[in-house]
Amino acid sequence: MSTTSSPTVVVHAGKSFWKSWAFRGMAIILGFSVLLNMGLYATFRDYFARSPEVSERFLSGNSSTTQRIAVLRVSGTIMPPLTERIIRQIEVAAEDERVKGVLLTIDSPGGLVADSHQIYHALEKLREKKPISIQMKRLAASGGYYIAMGAGTKGQIFAEPTTWTGSIGVIIPRYDMSALVEKIGISSDPLKTGEFKDALSPFHPLTEAERKVWEEILNQSFEQFIELIDTNRDTLDREQARKLATGQIYTARDARANGMIDEIGFEEDALAALQKSLKLDQVRVVEYRSQPQLVDLLLGSKTENVTAAQWQALVDATTPRAMFLFSWLPGLPQSPAL
C-alpha cells in the first residue's frame, strides 16, 4: 500500500508547486500592470492642464519636473471669443500650484477697449500670485501694448528686433457718407428719443455738440491708458507716456530707447530670463491651448442661416466700439484662436 500511495503524494506536491508559482506570476504581472497604468494616468494628467477648456503642450525644458512656466499666447484682434479664452487660460495658470511663472506672448494690433482691460485685469490678479513676463512678436500695438502692462513693474517686457509696438491711443472708426447720400437723393430721418441717439450715423456730419460728447468719452479711455503705463512702467512717468501717446508706431529699438520695453530678444531669451528670476535649475515649459467648443465645430461645419449671420454682421458693423487698435479700419472677425 505504501508503494501505491507514495507516487500519489508526490504528484499532488508537484501540482501544488506549479500552482503556487503560477499564482505568484499572475500576482507579479497584475501588480506591474497596476503600476504601469498608474504611471500612464499620472503622465496623462501631468501632460494636460487642470481644466477641460484648456490643455497644455510640452515646449521645452525638463519634461519630468513638476515645476512649470506656462506660455500663454494672444494672437489677433482682441475681441470675443479670444478674450474669454485668454482669461480662462490666465485663471488656470493662477490656480495651478505647479506653475511658477507665466510668459505672455503678444502678436496683436489691439482691439476692443473693454476686452483689453478685461485681460489686463485678469493679469493684474495673476501677478499677485506669480511673476509675468511679456514677449512681443510681430506686432504689439495699442490694445496689444495695453495688455502688456499686465506684467506690472516687476515683469520684464521683451520684443523681437522686428517688433512694432506703441500706437498708444483710442479710436472709434466712423465714416461720413453725407455727401454721397445727398448726391443719390437719400435722406436720413431716424425716429429717436434723444439728441445724441444717432450721433455716429454716417448719414450726417457730426455736430459740434456730438463731437464734444464723443471726445469726452475717448479722452477718458485715453487717460486710463496713460495711467496704466504710468502705474506699470518704472521707466515712464505720466508726462513721458503722454508724449509717446501720439498714435505712433515704434520699432523695438526705439521702444527700448524710450523706456516702453526692457529688452530686445526672442521667446527663448524671455523664457531664460524668467527661469533665472525664478531661481529654478530645472523647469518644464508648457504652452496653453484652448479646446474648441461645440459652437466652434458647428460654426465651422454648418452653412445654413447665412442670411441671419449676414444681418448680424451688419448690425455689429454699425455698433459703435471704442478701440485700442493700430488701424483706421475696424478689426474684422477672425476664426477662433485656439
Side-chain angles (χ1 to χ4, degrees):
M1 292 180 62
S2 59
T3 56
T4 56
S5 61
S6 180
T8 304
V9 174
V10 172
V11 171
H12 283 298
K15 288 183 179 180
S16 300
F17 174 80
W18 289 111
K19 283 183 180 180
S20 64
W21 274 105
F23 281 121
R24 289 179 187 177
M26 291 175 62
I28 292 172
I29 293 172
L30 179 61
F32 179 77
S33 176
V34 170
L35 290 174
L36 179 63
N37 281 280
M38 289 177 63
L40 290 173
Y41 172 75
T43 302
F44 179 84
R45 186 181 63 179
D46 193 54
Y47 182 79
F48 292 101
R50 299 182 176 183
S51 167
E53 304 101 346
V54 179
S55 66
E56 65 179 43
R57 182 174 69 92
F58 174 75
L59 284 182
S60 62
N62 187 338
S63 61
S64 61
T65 184
T66 59
Q67 300 180 119
R68 282 167 161 71
I69 289 177
V71 177
L72 283 58
R73 304 193 188 279
V74 174
S75 181
T77 305
I78 300 171
M79 61 188 298
L82 174 64
T83 309
E84 292 77 11
R85 291 174 176 176
I86 290 298
I87 289 175
R88 183 56 189 144
Q89 290 180 16
I90 294 169
E91 291 171 346
V92 170
E95 295 162 2
D96 192 342
E97 67 279 2
R98 301 169 301 176
V99 173
K100 306 304 179 184
V102 171
L103 177 67
L104 181 72
T105 72
I106 302 171
D107 190 359
S108 171
L112 300 177
V113 166
D115 291 55
S116 299
H117 192 75
Q118 287 168 8
I119 294 174
Y120 167 81
H121 180 61
L123 291 169
E124 192 177 28
K125 292 192 291 185
L126 172 63
R127 76 187 187 210
E128 294 176 0
K129 299 180 179 180
K130 301 164 188 186
I132 304 171
S133 289
I134 305 293
Q135 203 274 321
M136 297 176 173
K137 300 289 187 182
R138 303 173 188 85
L139 188 64
S142 208
Y145 189 70
Y146 190 101
I147 65 174
M149 297 301 98
T153 55
K154 297 180 180 178
Q156 281 192 301
I157 299 180
F158 284 75
E160 294 182 358
T162 55
T163 295
W164 286 1
T165 187
S167 187
I168 300 168
V170 194
I171 183 173
I172 298 179
R174 181 184 180 274
Y175 306 94
D176 183 357
M177 298 190 297
S178 56
L180 175 63
V181 167
E182 187 176 346
K183 280 185 177 181
I184 60 179
I186 297 176
S187 62
S188 174
D189 187 20
L191 303 176
K192 56 182 182 179
T193 57
E195 177 185 358
F196 303 110
K197 190 61 181 174
D198 69 335
L200 292 181
S201 169
F203 299 114
H204 67 78
L206 278 179
T207 67
E208 286 302 315
E210 290 170 341
R211 189 173 296 277
K212 184 176 180 180
V213 166
W214 285 105
E215 282 180 352
E216 177 60 26
I217 293 171
L218 288 173
N219 285 337
Q220 288 186 29
S221 295
F222 177 72
E223 289 300 324
Q224 180 175 302
F225 204 154
I226 298 298
E227 182 181 351
L228 248 69
I229 297 172
D230 179 35
T231 301
N232 294 285
R233 292 296 297 166
D234 285 340
T235 54
L236 291 172
D237 59 27
R238 186 178 293 266
E239 289 309 310
Q240 289 172 322
R242 194 179 301 279
K243 289 179 180 179
L244 295 169
T246 61
Q248 176 183 339
I249 274 290
Y250 298 94
T251 64
R253 182 183 299 177
D254 290 340
R256 185 180 181 187
N258 61 36
M260 294 175 65
I261 66 171
D262 298 298
E263 299 289 345
I264 296 177
F266 293 90
E267 185 172 319
E268 57 266 30
D269 302 311
L271 285 169
L274 180 56
Q275 181 178 346
K276 183 177 179 181
S277 69
L278 292 168
K279 299 179 180 179
L280 296 175
D281 294 331
Q282 299 291 333
V283 70
R284 176 187 179 120
V285 181
V286 296
E287 176 188 42
Y288 278 12
R289 291 183 172 184
S290 294
Q291 297 296 327
Q293 304 298 308
L294 178 60
V295 65
D296 302 321
L297 301 176
L298 292 175
L299 290 176
S301 60
K302 298 293 184 180
T303 57
E304 59 261 25
N305 298 323
V306 172
T307 303
Q310 290 174 340
W311 176 252
Q312 182 64 46
L314 177 62
V315 173
D316 288 345
T318 57
T319 302
R321 287 184 173 90
M323 295 186 175
F324 296 132
L325 184 67
F326 171 50
S327 174
W328 61 269
L329 184 70
L332 297 176
Q334 299 179 346
S335 59
L338 300 182

